[in-house]
Amino acid sequence: MTVLILGGTSEAAALDQLLAEQAPEIRAIISLAGHTVDPRPSNLPVRVGGFGGVEGLRRYLREEGIVAVIDATHPFAAIMPFHAEHACKAEGVPLLAIRRESWAPQPGDRWTSVPDIAAAAEALGQEPRRVFLTIGRLELPAFAAAPQHRYLVRAIEPIGDRLPVPHVDVILARGPFPVEDEEALMRREGVEILVSKNAGGPATIGKLVAARRLALPVVMVARPPKPDVETVEHLDQVLPWLVTQGLLATERGV
């Protein structure tokens, strides 16, 4: 039995270990969009790149004999979750989405919530500021519309010419990032405002705690819409779901 995992999150990376330890008879394949040249290592077979739309994904499900799909794409994946919904429905393949809980403002937070990246760039205002961008490299071009700011960009890979403005400093790093390190970084770099996507999860929440401690404003970008499919928040809910689909025996104790 082959399960397709649509990857892009730490949950997807951890799911291969879970299946290897507790469901070795499940053959799982992780599919990555290919936005990151050096993705996290995986114990499972990995395919990289798109499927060719809904029809391409339907064809892949048939050819590989996929019995279930687990959508563990990034919270800001806007297209693939809908393609998965349509393809799985058309092919009669069970689909489960892992969607971690969003972050919510806490007492002392100074959040400005915006619907998208373009709105985030506009929310920075006209007055020049030291801006800490923690949104990944793909969304950077939107901030070229606000070249007056001095940007500090953190990304996993080099950003190239994605942010053609006069003042850009780049930090190449992959989380998790401890709160104390985040606070020290913001102090050292003179950060005046933080821009973040509402990805949720513990790996990068430290920047929000640090901003709260420093009383810094945060521009928080809301997640894009997602299809209405069966959803869980935690990795340990996946194996029980596989049991309900008849893909694992209940005597496993899951």
Side-chain angles (χ1 to χ4, degrees):
M1 293 183 292
T2 303
V3 172
L4 176 64
I5 302 169
L6 303 175
T9 58
S10 57
E11 288 86 353
L15 186 55
D16 63 351
Q17 184 72 21
L18 180 69
L19 292 175
E21 293 177 353
Q22 300 193 33
E25 73 273 35
I26 293 286
R27 174 179 179 261
I29 300 172
I30 290 185
S31 176
L32 301 176
H35 298 316
T36 301
V37 175
D38 184 24
R40 297 177 187 271
S42 172
N43 298 317
L44 300 177
V46 176
R47 68 170 303 280
V48 178
F51 292 94
V54 174
E55 290 305 314
L57 180 53
R58 289 184 62 182
R59 183 167 57 252
Y60 184 86
L61 297 179
R62 293 193 301 268
E63 292 176 351
E64 293 292 329
I66 303 297
V67 297
V69 174
I70 299 173
D71 176 7
T73 53
H74 191 274
F76 279 78
I79 298 175
M80 181 52 74
F82 287 95
H83 285 184
E85 177 199 26
H86 296 316
C88 287
K89 184 176 181 180
E91 297 298 324
V93 174
L95 170 65
L96 178 71
I98 304 176
R99 295 181 188 152
R100 66 175 76 129
E101 186 177 4
S102 299
W103 293 318
Q106 303 299 312
D109 283 336
R110 299 173 56 197
W111 287 16
T112 298
S113 296
V114 295
D116 53 38
I117 291 294
E122 185 176 353
L124 295 177
Q126 293 302 312
E127 187 70 22
R129 292 163 133 180
R130 178 62 159 167
V131 181
F132 188 15
L133 296 180
T134 61
I135 56 170
R137 62 189 178 92
L138 298 181
E139 306 281 14
L140 293 176
F143 293 89
Q148 70 273 25
H149 302 297
R150 296 176 295 113
Y151 292 101
L152 175 65
V153 176
R154 183 164 63 200
I156 296 176
E157 297 173 350
I159 68 170
D161 59 355
R162 290 181 178 275
L163 186 53
V165 296
H167 303 290
V168 183
D169 299 309
V170 180
I171 299 172
L172 298 181
R174 190 196 296 265
F177 303 106
V179 174
E180 291 72 18
D181 292 353
E182 295 287 69
E183 184 174 352
L185 172 65
M186 292 182 192
R187 288 184 184 276
R188 183 173 65 250
E189 295 290 343
V191 171
E192 297 175 274
I193 187 168
L194 169 70
V195 180
S196 173
K197 292 178 175 180
N198 197 333
T204 58
I205 198 173
K207 62 188 175 184
L208 302 180
V209 179
R212 185 185 311 137
R213 290 179 179 179
L214 298 172
L216 294 179
V218 175
V219 177
M220 184 62 71
V221 183
R223 297 178 181 183
K226 300 288 184 178
D228 184 13
V229 300
E230 189 170 358
T231 302
V232 297
E233 289 185 358
H234 303 292
L235 193 64
D236 59 9
Q237 296 171 279
V238 173
L239 292 185
W241 179 79
L242 290 173
V243 171
T244 66
Q245 301 303 316
L247 303 177
L248 286 180
T250 55
E251 58 265 22
R252 301 183 163 273
V254 296

